[in-house]
């Protein structure tokens, strides 16, 4: 962990509203309180402090530093959470001024990720993010880190400072973790290529944290994925098969939730997980329609996806927006008729049939019809078509079944590679 804390430690949450912010300060404070409560500390004080300008030394002005110090002392606060990105110098100065442990937004999110990661991949990603964050924080460590240790030789040189040793150890560990994560990425790529050979279309759920993705995932698949009304309830991606109205099978993928000002370390560390979104045939952008900051949350998610489509190592293609279906979740919390678009309630099931039909229609948009003559005894090929295509009509001609199906070009190519039991093969839809 970056900053050790105790369960039920008395804490304060401070929200700083910068000039020109498009987000509601009260909603941001509520989000920060939810994040802080999720690590098990007791919140005894909260506050919103408008910022006229960011001070390089303490973020806020001297008057605000003094007033916060008085409030923390009155409430006997032991841990102060600042909902902003603090530089190492700002964090150190605030700790000295207030006499309490200070953690910023990045550190808080990393703490949560460290607690929630369960799979080996998730643990590796969190460890990498932790170390990248810790490396920049060595400047705020105790003064003993600056002391020199003697070098080799008869007289001994100045040697390395403890800080330099710690930084080198962290760098070595980061290199090792990146190699392990690269192996995870290669393994995930092999699994993805195996799915492409099947092939099942992939539908990925993305959205702001606590938008209800896991609840929707459970409602659509009948799975028991952990879902709670808390931020970052689940971190590790989960996949399940779903059956669409046309009868075709698809893979539904539940991914990690996004959040505003997501730490850079986490964006890089979770790149392998986000690649599942890049490989998806359809991206379901799940929004909390009842949240007061729903538009700002939407912008945050689109910002992360846009970043994934830019740069030399872009994971998303230029046309990724054409694959997005926006899902307005938690519609049951709003008056009837207030929402327009794909409104659903993952909790009570309203709108889920329409959502599956929309996914089915989008997947079927690029499909083609064709006729296939298959020996009646060739059960493997007949079953394959029923699993991976929409069988529109089946007729019998002696010992041959003629199936009129609709499927994608990828499925057509895969079916053509299956060995038939006899010489009867696929025929054109225009053949008599």
């Amino acid at each position: 962990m970056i900053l050790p804390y105790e369960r039920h430690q008395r804490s304060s949450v401070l929200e700083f509203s910068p000039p020109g912010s498009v987000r509601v300060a009260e909603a941001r404070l509520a989000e920060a309180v939810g994040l802080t409560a999720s690590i098990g500390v007791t919140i005894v004080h909260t506050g919103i402090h408008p910022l006229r300008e960011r001070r390089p030394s303490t973020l806020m002005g001297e008057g605000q530093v003094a007033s916060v110090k008085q409030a923390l002392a009155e409430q006997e606060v032991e841990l102060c959470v600042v909902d902003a990105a603090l530089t190492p110098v700002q964090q150190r100065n605030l700790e000295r001024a207030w006499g309490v442990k200070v953690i910023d937004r990045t550190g808080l999110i990393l703490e949560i990720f460290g607690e929630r990661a369960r799979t080996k991949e998730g643990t590796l990603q969190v460890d990498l993010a932790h170390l990248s964050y810790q490396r920049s924080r060595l400047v705020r460590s105790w003064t003993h880190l600056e002391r020199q240790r003697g070098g080799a030789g008869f007289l001994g040189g100045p040697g390395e400072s403890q800080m330099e040793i710690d930084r080198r150890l962290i760098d070595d560990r980061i290199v090792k973790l990146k190699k392990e994560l690269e192996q995870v990425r290669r393994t995930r790529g092999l699994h993805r290529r195996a799915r492409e050979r099947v092939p099942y279309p992939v539908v990925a759920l993305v959205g702001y944290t606590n938008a209800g993705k896991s609840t929707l995932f459970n409602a659509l698949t009948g799975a028991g994925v952990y879902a709670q009304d808390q931020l970052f309830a689940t971190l590790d991606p989960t996949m399940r098969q779903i059956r669409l109205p046309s009868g075709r099978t698809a893979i539904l993928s539940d991914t990690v939730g996004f959040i505003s000002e997501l730490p850079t370390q986490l964006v890089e560390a979770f790149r392998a997980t986000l690649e599942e979104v890049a490989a998806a045939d359809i991206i379901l952008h799940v929004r909390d329609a009842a949240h007061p900051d729903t538009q700002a949350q939407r912008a945050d998610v689109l910002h992360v996806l846009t970043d994934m489509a830019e740069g030399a190592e872009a994971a998303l293609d230029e046309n990724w927006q054409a694959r997005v279906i926006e899902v307005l979740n938690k519609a049951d919390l709003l008056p009837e008729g207030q929402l327009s678009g794909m409104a659903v309630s993952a909790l009570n099931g309203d709108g889920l049939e329409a959502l599956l039909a929309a996914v089915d229609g989008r997947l079927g948009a690029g499909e083609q019809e064709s006729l296939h003559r298959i020996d009646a005894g060739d059960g493997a090929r007949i079953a394959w078509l029923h699993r991976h295509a929409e069988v529109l009509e089946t007729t019998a001609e002696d010992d041959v079944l003629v199936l009129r199906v609709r499927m994608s070009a990828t499925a057509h190519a895969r079916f053509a590679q299956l060995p038939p039991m006899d010489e009867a093969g696929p025929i054109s839809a225009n053949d008599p």
Side-chain angles (χ1 to χ4, degrees):
M1 292 307 210
I2 302 165
L3 295 173
Y5 61 89
E6 299 176 2
R7 289 286 177 180
H8 309 300
Q9 192 170 15
R10 295 173 64 84
S11 67
S12 170
V13 180
L14 304 180
E15 172 61 42
F16 291 89
S17 179
S21 176
V22 298
R23 302 178 70 89
V24 180
E26 288 76 11
R28 281 191 58 114
L29 176 62
E31 179 180 282
V33 168
L35 288 168
T36 305
S38 67
I39 61 174
V41 298
T42 302
I43 301 171
V44 296
H45 173 264
T46 62
I48 297 176
H49 300 272
L51 281 182
R52 286 188 291 272
E53 61 177 345
R54 294 179 179 269
R55 300 290 181 90
S57 58
T58 56
L59 179 67
M60 69 200 80
E62 295 179 2
Q64 287 179 316
V65 172
S67 64
V68 169
K69 180 179 180 179
Q70 181 179 352
L72 298 182
E74 291 175 353
Q75 298 293 333
E76 299 180 351
V77 168
E78 302 166 275
L79 170 68
C80 183
V81 177
V82 176
D83 188 36
L86 296 176
T87 66
V89 172
Q90 289 171 340
Q91 192 169 358
R92 178 191 62 194
N93 290 341
L94 290 177
E95 285 187 341
R96 290 176 176 175
W98 294 339
V100 299
K101 188 184 305 176
V102 175
I103 182 173
D104 67 352
R105 182 179 179 86
T106 300
L108 176 62
I109 295 175
L110 290 175
E111 289 284 356
I112 297 170
F113 273 55
E115 278 202 344
R116 305 277 170 78
R118 292 292 179 267
T119 64
K120 179 182 178 182
E121 177 187 357
T123 302
L124 287 173
Q125 291 168 330
V126 171
D127 286 347
L128 177 59
H130 273 169
L131 290 172
S132 300
Y133 180 77
Q134 280 179 329
R135 191 182 187 282
S136 67
R137 303 282 138 168
L138 288 179
V139 67
R140 50 181 301 274
S141 302
W142 303 110
T143 54
H144 79 276
L145 292 179
E146 299 173 357
R147 296 174 183 167
Q148 302 270 314
R149 305 183 72 176
F154 180 74
L155 296 176
E160 290 181 294
S161 69
Q162 184 64 44
M163 185 181 296
E164 291 169 337
I165 293 174
D166 288 352
R167 184 176 286 116
R168 178 164 49 81
L169 291 174
I170 288 177
D171 288 343
D172 291 343
R173 178 65 177 154
I174 287 176
V175 171
K176 182 179 179 181
L177 286 175
K178 285 185 175 180
K179 288 181 179 179
E180 293 184 54
L181 274 174
E182 185 58 36
Q183 180 61 44
V184 169
R185 183 178 297 183
R186 285 196 293 268
T187 302
R188 187 177 289 276
L190 291 174
H191 292 167
R192 189 178 300 118
R193 285 191 289 274
R195 291 198 302 271
E196 290 173 353
R197 289 194 296 270
V198 172
Y200 287 132
V202 176
V203 180
L205 296 174
V206 302
Y208 205 83
T209 182
N210 206 32
K213 295 186 306 303
S214 295
T215 304
L216 180 61
F217 182 87
N218 289 337
L220 293 175
T221 64
V225 173
Y226 180 72
Q228 289 292 329
D229 184 17
Q230 63 179 204
L231 301 170
F232 297 118
T234 54
L235 292 182
D236 300 305
T238 308
M239 294 186 176
R240 294 288 189 278
Q241 290 186 12
I242 58 172
R243 198 73 170 172
L244 297 174
S246 65
R248 69 166 60 86
T249 300
I251 294 177
L252 187 64
S253 173
D254 185 17
T255 61
V256 64
F258 298 167
I259 196 169
S260 64
E261 301 174 27
L262 186 68
T264 305
Q265 297 93 337
L266 282 176
V267 174
E268 178 60 30
F270 279 81
R271 189 175 183 85
T273 304
L274 295 176
E275 285 178 354
E276 288 299 325
V277 179
D281 298 273
I282 291 181
I283 301 172
L284 295 183
H285 177 189
V286 183
R287 291 175 52 190
D288 181 352
H291 196 281
D293 256 355
T294 182
Q295 291 295 338
Q297 291 180 354
R298 175 181 183 271
D300 289 329
V301 173
L302 294 180
H303 176 72
V304 174
L305 294 176
T306 300
D307 285 347
M308 292 176 60
E310 296 177 348
E313 299 182 359
L316 281 174
D317 60 85
E318 296 179 353
N319 299 320
W320 64 270
Q321 294 183 0
R323 306 201 306 274
V324 175
I325 297 177
E326 199 165 84
V327 182
L328 303 176
N329 192 25
K330 305 186 183 182
D332 55 304
L333 301 179
L334 293 172
E336 186 175 352
Q338 182 171 330
L339 290 176
S340 60
M342 186 57 65
V344 305
S345 172
L347 197 60
N348 61 30
D350 290 346
L352 296 188
E353 291 185 3
L355 174 60
L356 288 175
V359 171
D360 209 4
R362 186 72 66 88
L363 288 174
E367 294 182 341
Q368 302 172 347
E369 285 191 21
S370 59
L371 292 177
H372 297 270
R373 297 182 187 274
I374 304 176
D375 190 286
D378 194 350
R381 300 180 81 210
I382 295 172
W384 194 98
L385 286 176
H386 279 278
R387 285 197 308 269
H388 304 290
E390 182 182 0
V391 179
L392 304 175
E393 183 182 8
T394 302
T395 57
E397 298 179 359
D398 296 329
D399 293 334
V400 174
L401 292 181
V402 180
L403 289 84
R404 185 166 64 90
V405 303
R406 180 187 293 120
M407 57 183 170
S408 67
T410 304
H412 271 288
R414 174 64 180 130
F415 181 76
Q417 296 174 3
L418 296 178
M421 290 185 61
D422 56 17
E423 296 303 320
I427 63 174
S428 169
N430 297 322
D431 285 350

